[in-house]
Amino acid sequence: MVDESERERAKSAFADPTQYLRNNSYITLRAQAVRRMVPATSAKSILDLGCGDGRISIPLVGDADELLLVDASKGMLELAVQHVPAAMVDRVHFECRDIATFEPTRQFDLVLCIGLLAHVPNPGSLLELISRCVAPTGCALVQFTDNSCLLGRASNWLGAVLRRLFHPGTHTLTRMTIDDVLSDMAKHGFRMTRSYRYVFLPGVQRLPPPVTHAVVQLAGRKPIAKYGGEVIAAFSR
Ligand SMILES: C[S@@+](CC[C@H](N)C(=O)[O-])C[C@H]1O[C@@H](n2cnc3c(N)ncnc32)[C@H](O)[C@@H]1O
C-alpha cells in the first residue's frame, strides 16, 4: 500500500533547500562520480529528475548538449537557474513539478535520478518512468541506498534516529535493496553496466566544513567506498 502523504511530506522537506544544501559535501562527491560514469558521447540530451540545485547535471552540459531539470521544489530550481553559465541558457530548461505527474514528450541520451528514489513512496513507478525516458542507445544513472548492505542499513537507521531527534515530522525514507532496483529495471529491459559505491555518514554535515569535506571525500575513496551502502548504478538496454 503506497502512502501518498509521504510524497507530500518529502516535497515539503525540500521546499526550503537551505537545510539539504548546508555543508552538503555529498553533492560534490556525487557530481564527481557521475562525471566519471557518464559515457563519452558527442552531442547529448540530458534529463535530471529530482535535480536539486543542478550542481550534478549542469557541469555535464557540453557545447552542443541540452538539459532538462525537473524538481518539485521551486527554491531548488531558482538556485539551479543561478548555476547555469550564460552561454548555456538557451539549452537548459526547467520544469517545476511532482515527478508523479511528469510525462516525457521525448527521450534522452542520459537520464539522471540521483537522491530521489528514497523520497518517493513508490520507487517502482519512478524506475518505470526512468526507463521510458531513456533513448534506445541511452543510459540512466540511478542513485539509491542499498538496504541489503550492512552500512546501508546502518545509515538508514542512524539517519532515521537523527531525523526524529532534530527534524521531527519529516517523511520516512523508502528503503530498497540493490536486487529490488536491478529486478525492476530488468523488467523494463535494462541491465546494470557499471556501479559506484560510497559510504554515507548521517550527521557529518554538522562538522566544520573543511572536516566534512575531507571525511566525505574519504568515504568515497577506495578501499572504504566499496563497503558503502550508497550506490550509483548505470543502466543501459
Ligand atoms: C536528496 S535531494 C537530491 C538533489 C540532487 N539530485 C542531489 O543529488 O543533490 C532530492 C530532490 O528531489 C526533489 N523531490 C522530492 N520529491 C519529489 C517529487 N515527488 N517530485 C519531484 N521532485 C522531488 C527535492 O525537491 C530535492 O531537490
Side-chain angles (χ1 to χ4, degrees), residues 6-8 10-15 17 20-21 24 26-28 30-31 48-56 70-74 76-77 95-101 112-117 119-121 143 171 198:
E6 286 297 315
R7 180 190 297 283
E8 295 309 317
K11 281 161 44 186
S12 315
F14 295 102
Y20 174 70
L21 297 177
N24 189 339
Y26 278 105
I27 301 175
T28 311
R30 288 166 165 180
D48 188 355
L49 299 170
C51 62
D53 70 352
R55 264 188 288 161
I56 295 179
V70 182
D71 203 286
S73 164
K74 199 165 165 265
M76 286 285 192
L77 289 175
E95 211 168 308
C96 187
R97 67 163 60 243
D98 189 317
I99 214 68
T101 66
L112 302 183
C113 182
I114 310 291
L116 179 57
L117 269 184
H119 301 286
V120 296
Q143 186 276 335
H171 60 295
Y198 60 95

Side-chain angles (χ1 to χ4, degrees), residues 31 34-35 44 46 48 51-63 65-69 76-86 88-89 91-94 112:
V34 165
R35 169 95 267 176
K44 58 187 177 304
I46 309 168
D48 188 355
C51 62
D53 70 352
R55 264 188 288 161
I56 295 179
S57 53
I58 292 170
L60 301 176
V61 181
D63 288 347
D65 300 341
E66 281 185 31
L67 169 66
L68 174 59
L69 295 156
M76 286 285 192
L77 289 175
E78 281 167 2
L79 293 172
V81 170
Q82 293 170 25
H83 291 144
V84 179
M88 281 180 199
V89 286
R91 292 180 286 115
V92 180
H93 309 281
F94 303 87
L112 302 183

